[in-house]
Amino acid sequence: NSLGLSGSFLTGFVFALITVSPMWIGSAMSGSLNADVALFVRSALLPGFFEEFLFRGFLFGLLFRYAGWGFIPSAMIGALIFGAGHLYQGSSIGESAAIFGITFMGALWFAWLFIEWDENLWIPIFLHIMMNASWSLFEVSETALGNPYSNIFRVATIALTVVITIVKNKRRNRYA
């Protein structure tokens, strides 16, 4: 419970399935499927689960809920470490900086979703797994940077998660 794993597994899966559909459609249109199970496990399943467990469930959760830090400092610490952990993907300083920026912003977004979905860690876990899977199984890009075409669909996925999350919380009068 303290790590967010007691939230609804099914809600996380269905939410991700719906919201990541733009990325899957865009990836399928731009590349051919490489249905390699080992690739899925290595590039989507394990990183998606363990990065969310470590960075959102443990680190962010520890700072936000137990240390009493606010959302912004708690999310920023995790995002800095998360972004730094992806620097190896860059082949130049500029590319590394761009990858850092994208993964840093992604970490903030995942932390926001984690909180807005009542600390249900399955939301960011399944989003991360399905996003990584669409990226790697269709060989869209070898880095988190992507390309302009694939990023259109990534932005559509992110926008969909934000809109659905805000609508859900407005209906529950969470913002009143």
Side-chain angles (χ1 to χ4, degrees):
N1 185 43
S2 64
L3 294 170
L5 293 172
S6 62
S8 172
F9 182 90
L10 184 61
T11 299
F13 181 77
V14 171
F15 178 73
L17 192 64
I18 292 166
T19 58
V20 181
S21 61
M23 284 185 70
W24 278 88
I25 292 166
S27 296
M29 289 177 6
S30 68
S32 59
L33 178 64
N34 178 3
D36 180 1
V37 174
L39 176 66
F40 170 75
V41 170
R42 182 179 67 249
S43 64
L45 184 64
L46 293 177
F49 180 82
F50 286 108
E51 287 177 0
E52 294 311 313
F53 180 82
L54 177 64
F55 289 102
R56 258 55 73 194
F58 180 73
L59 180 61
F60 171 77
L62 185 69
L63 295 173
F64 184 69
R65 288 187 273 153
Y66 297 108
W69 291 24
F71 175 83
I72 292 173
S74 300
M76 294 283 278
I77 293 293
L80 286 168
I81 298 168
F82 187 74
H86 289 83
L87 287 172
Y88 73 93
Q89 293 179 2
S91 59
S92 68
I93 291 175
E95 186 178 34
S96 293
I99 289 168
F100 175 84
I102 285 175
T103 54
F104 176 87
M105 294 304 293
L108 294 177
W109 169 64
F110 283 137
W112 178 78
L113 287 168
F114 176 55
I115 292 302
E116 292 298 310
W117 284 85
D118 302 319
E119 299 177 13
N120 181 353
L121 192 60
W122 295 110
I123 296 289
I125 285 174
F126 279 117
L127 279 168
H128 201 148
I129 289 170
M130 289 185 193
M131 290 173 81
N132 282 7
S134 80
W135 212 261
S136 61
L137 295 178
F138 287 100
E139 300 173 345
V140 170
S141 179
E142 292 183 15
T143 72
L145 195 54
N147 59 58
Y149 177 79
S150 61
N151 284 327
I152 291 168
F153 295 99
R154 177 169 31 189
V155 168
T157 286
I158 293 166
L160 197 52
T161 66
V162 170
V163 168
I164 290 171
T165 300
I166 290 171
V167 167
K168 171 199 73 94
N169 285 332
K170 276 190 172 198
R171 285 188 178 157
R172 292 176 40 202
N173 288 325
R174 186 165 178 179
Y175 300 133

